[in-house]
Amino acid sequence: MSELFKQMQEKVSSQSKSIVFPEGTDERILTAASQLAATKVLMPILLGDKVGIKQQAQKAGVDVSQCKIIDPKDFAEFDLMVETFVERRKGKATKEDAEKILLDENYFGTMLVYMNQADGLVSGAVHSTADTVRPALQIIKTKEGVKKTSGAFVMVRGDEKYVFADCAINIEPDSQDLAEIAVESANTAQLFGIDPRVAMLSFSTKGSAKSDETERVVEALQIAKEKNPSLVIDGEFQFDAAFVPSVAAKKAPGAVLQGDANVFVFPSLEAGNIGYKIAQRLGEFEAVGPVLQGLNKPVNDLSRGCNAEDVYNLAVITAAQA
């Protein structure tokens, strides 16, 4: 894991990226931000009351003097931000609405990203996933050709690296959603130095069972191939057929993948969430993420149980996405 982030850190350090942290008074955020600034990996932007942030930093015993601190209440370009927000929301918010909404740090921070005053955002140490993702979907929005964002975990154990998705956002993805998740997960894999080989998972391998659920995965495979013809992808697979060469030889002898998949697209959030936690707890993999996929600009969500190291690592990932 340390080698993985060392390589990513070196790449990010040369690019002078800035990441905004809406939860500027949280001790874990302050600790990570001070380390990021001190090592010049990126420029942290802390949001909140300036006096309060400095007092909390002093209390935590960390130095945030090299971080940028912005208080939404006295932001010099607040009027421009309000105007830009109203325009972006296309009649869904009045000027008066915007003036109230943008005092919310997550909305304010997302607007900084949208207005190119920050390269990405990391939140969720205190806020829920919905509080982090909603402003991103309303303001930054998904990339062309992508209807929904999704959440991937990079599973790391020694030299082994795999991508699991969607484990965080979409409860019952349809065929179009699964295809988008497959394509975006391959992009995430490349970000982590993985040459993607994508398996579309099911409880069936190449027609061994037939149901609406398996047909949805089969259809998703075809859509994903159309979206990215160069993608190495196949399915539907049971996990063992996607991961174990001897099982693939028996169950799917003519498949593109022969037990050598490294990106796994689960058929539902239920399966994905259970799958990554089993790998984490029984397989002793470290789970990095969730990394949000499919947005025009990077926004990532922390677990409320995170520590300062998690914040640091997700900030580096966000900068790498940018």
Side-chain angles (χ1 to χ4, degrees):
M1 178 70 83
S2 60
E3 185 62 29
L4 173 70
F5 277 102
K6 182 181 177 183
Q7 293 169 3
M8 192 173 284
Q9 209 169 269
E10 287 173 357
K11 179 182 175 183
V12 166
S13 296
S14 65
Q15 297 176 349
S16 302
K17 299 297 183 185
S18 60
I19 301 299
V20 60
F21 296 91
E23 299 154 327
T25 56
D26 185 272
E27 183 174 328
R28 296 161 295 177
I29 301 293
L30 291 167
T31 301
S34 68
Q35 293 168 348
L36 288 163
T39 53
K40 302 190 184 324
V41 174
L42 54 86
M43 171 54 73
I45 302 173
L46 300 168
L47 301 187
D49 176 74
K50 292 177 181 178
V51 173
I53 288 173
K54 289 174 182 177
Q55 286 177 342
Q56 282 297 108
Q58 187 174 20
K59 185 178 176 182
V62 298
D63 179 11
V64 294
S65 62
Q66 295 181 66
C67 301
K68 187 174 182 180
I69 302 175
I70 299 177
D71 185 347
K73 293 185 178 68
D74 61 16
F75 182 55
E77 297 181 52
F78 191 76
D79 290 342
L80 174 60
M81 182 180 282
V82 167
E83 182 183 318
T84 306
F85 180 81
V86 171
E87 182 182 334
R88 184 61 167 165
R89 296 296 288 141
K90 295 179 180 176
K92 294 180 180 177
T94 64
K95 180 175 179 289
E96 290 72 24
D97 293 333
E99 288 171 345
K100 294 177 183 176
I101 291 169
L102 292 174
L103 291 177
D104 178 295
E105 288 89 351
N106 278 318
Y107 274 94
F108 183 92
T110 304
M111 281 299 296
L112 286 181
V113 177
Y114 178 68
M115 295 171 69
N116 297 317
Q117 297 197 27
D119 294 298
L121 177 145
V122 171
S123 187
V126 177
H127 295 89
S128 69
T129 295
D131 288 337
T132 301
V133 175
R134 189 184 302 110
L137 293 177
Q138 291 178 357
I139 298 165
I140 292 172
K141 302 185 180 181
T142 54
K143 295 187 288 190
E144 187 176 351
V146 179
K147 292 183 179 178
K148 296 179 181 177
T149 188
S150 56
F153 280 87
V154 181
M155 310 301 294
V156 182
R157 184 177 64 184
D159 294 332
E160 296 177 83
K161 291 185 288 186
Y162 306 102
V163 174
F164 285 14
D166 178 3
C167 304
I169 304 291
N170 298 287
I171 297 174
E172 293 184 12
D174 61 22
S175 296
Q176 181 71 36
D177 299 334
L178 288 171
E180 290 178 2
I181 292 165
V183 172
E184 292 303 315
S185 296
N187 294 337
T188 297
Q190 290 175 328
L191 184 71
F192 285 86
I194 302 169
D195 186 15
R197 300 177 65 80
V198 185
M200 306 297 289
L201 298 181
S202 180
F203 58 83
S204 165
T205 298
K206 293 295 183 180
S208 63
K210 292 278 187 181
S211 71
D212 290 344
E213 290 81 4
T214 62
E215 289 305 304
R216 184 169 70 244
V217 176
V218 171
E219 184 181 351
L221 174 65
Q222 298 310 314
I223 297 170
K225 287 179 177 179
E226 291 168 10
K227 282 180 170 292
N228 185 354
S230 66
L231 192 61
V232 180
I233 184 171
D234 209 348
E236 85 282 16
F237 289 124
Q238 292 160 289
F239 184 82
D240 56 355
F243 190 67
V244 183
S246 61
V247 176
K250 292 176 183 177
K251 290 187 175 183
V256 172
L257 301 177
Q258 285 296 302
D260 55 353
N262 51 26
V263 177
F264 301 94
V265 177
F266 291 83
S268 69
L269 179 60
E270 184 175 48
N273 193 270
I274 292 169
Y276 102 79
K277 288 183 183 293
I278 288 174
Q280 182 184 34
R281 300 300 178 181
L282 293 184
E284 298 184 351
F285 278 83
E286 290 188 65
V288 181
V291 178
L292 296 189
Q293 309 177 138
L295 293 167
N296 277 310
K297 295 186 178 184
V299 168
N300 280 311
D301 178 43
L302 293 158
S303 163
R304 277 172 280 183
C306 68
N307 58 33
E309 184 181 5
D310 296 329
V311 178
Y312 185 102
N313 289 342
L314 195 56
V316 172
I317 292 169
T318 306
Q321 284 180 296

